[in-house]
Amino acid sequence: MFDTLAIERHHKVATIWMNRPEVLNAFNEQLIDDLQQACLQLDADTRVRVVVLAGRGKHFSAGADLNWMRRAAQGSEADNLADARRFARMLRTLSGMRKPTIARIQGAALGGGTGLAAACDMAVASVDAVFSTSEVKFGIIPAVISPYVLRAIGPRHALRYFQSAERISAERALAIGLINEVAPQEGLDAVLASLIEPLLAGAPSAQTAAKELIAAVQGQPIDDVITEATAQRIAAQRATAEGRDGVAAFLDKRPPAWLAN
């Protein structure tokens, strides 16, 4: 279906494999467009409960493809704006998926690769993984990835790494909130599975509502408006068929309906 991706399905989990190992899964226009379409398709597929984003070969993604960078350097501002909008649209689609997303990272996750990791809900990385918002080394800025990286690491760390373009080890990435778990390379899939198992046990629409809740509450003052909004959200969720069944299943000591699907 895709020139630059391979999609694997196992039970209720779909893995999007970036499949350009010969160029370290670097971005070009085709990979960006393929990721956009894959995210839309898997988000609409009710058989899929969790989406994993991964890279074939030794590296997750080394950022921008050199040929793409060369074309951008020679292009007009209008051409660059079109490219940036394409990339921004893809990241927003990935971040806005209604189901849980996990980045599976090994080796390099540089520039836009760091952005992909941050745009996913969760990220697990092998101990050899390395990250960087490397754009200032090329006289540019990590603008399109900034909303997702800032969400993950906060402004204080961003002020350092956006300006220094330092390499960030997996252990450091864990400490600053860029990733959730670090594992030996041979144990990476076991750690990934330990995240997926409880996600599959959760209620699908409640997980979507939880993501929407975080987006609505984050950064807002705790005032009458936000307390009323949160009260309305829980009341609405309790009134859904899934909410009613989930509570009833707990009280009746039986599995909820979504686990039978």
Side-chain angles (χ1 to χ4, degrees), residues 154-177:
R156 188 64 168 174
H157 293 305
L159 281 165
R160 172 179 174 177
Y161 293 112
F162 282 17
Q163 296 183 92
S164 71
E166 294 169 76
R167 293 292 179 99
I168 303 168
S169 69
E171 291 294 340
R172 179 64 178 159
L174 178 65
I176 65 176

Side-chain angles (χ1 to χ4, degrees), residues 84-97 111-121 133 142-154 158 162 176-179 218:
R85 283 173 171 162
R86 178 187 289 113
F87 190 32
R89 183 170 60 249
M90 180 271 288
L91 286 175
R92 186 176 177 183
T93 300
L94 172 61
S95 177
M97 291 184 75
T114 294
L116 280 177
C120 290
D121 297 338
T133 51
V144 172
I145 69 172
S146 63
Y148 312 100
V149 179
L150 273 165
R151 180 179 65 183
I153 71 175
F162 282 17
I176 65 176
L178 184 57
I179 61 176
Q218 183 183 25

Side-chain angles (χ1 to χ4, degrees), residues 2 47 66 72 82 107 111 144 187 231:
F2 300 104
R47 297 168 298 176
L66 293 178
V144 172

